Amino acid sequence: MPKPAKRLPIPKFSSEDRERGFWGAKDSSKYIDWSRAENVSLPNLRPSTRTISIRLPGPMIDRLKVRANKRDVQYQSLLKLFVAERIEEELRDQ
């Protein structure tokens, strides 16, 4: 049985930004034995979102609200769905 590789100690970080920069530049296998890692499921994890501002004509928003009301969802949610569907369609067509 081969001797396990010696791992480097994980340094202490003064901030999350410094830690992020460290792991972005280093090979983590020199610090962590990934052969002992286990898969983890995070079913309630939601992707982070960013707020944007978009100007749409009033009549377009009104029509969107009517369609959202028929589906019993908020109009912003329906707009996100429409955008996501269109992005997927564009990617398939490439």
Side-chain angles (χ1 to χ4, degrees), residues 7-32 34:
R7 305 283 176 218
L8 298 172
I10 298 173
K12 300 284 186 214
F13 302 100
S14 59
S15 71
E16 208 172 290
D17 285 337
R18 288 190 183 268
E19 183 173 4
R20 192 176 301 111
F22 177 84
W23 292 117
K26 301 289 183 181
D27 177 2
S28 64
S29 66
K30 293 178 181 178
Y31 298 86
I32 300 168
W34 289 111

Side-chain angles (χ1 to χ4, degrees), residues 28-88:
S28 64
S29 66
K30 293 178 181 178
Y31 298 86
I32 300 168
D33 180 5
W34 289 111
S35 68
R36 296 174 39 198
E38 297 177 13
N39 285 329
V40 175
S41 175
L42 304 171
N44 298 325
L45 186 63
R46 294 180 10 196
S48 60
T49 60
R50 289 192 322 199
T51 301
I52 65 165
S53 177
I54 182 170
R55 296 187 183 278
L56 299 173
M60 182 186 291
I61 295 172
D62 293 339
R63 290 192 310 264
L64 182 63
K65 285 181 178 181
V66 168
R67 296 184 85 57
N69 190 34
K70 288 180 181 178
R71 296 181 186 205
D72 196 30
V73 296
Q74 295 181 358
Y75 77 96
Q76 296 97 331
S77 298
L78 185 59
L79 182 59
K80 282 191 279 188
L81 176 66
F82 287 167
V83 170
E85 287 175 353
R86 183 55 189 251
I87 290 170
E88 289 301 315

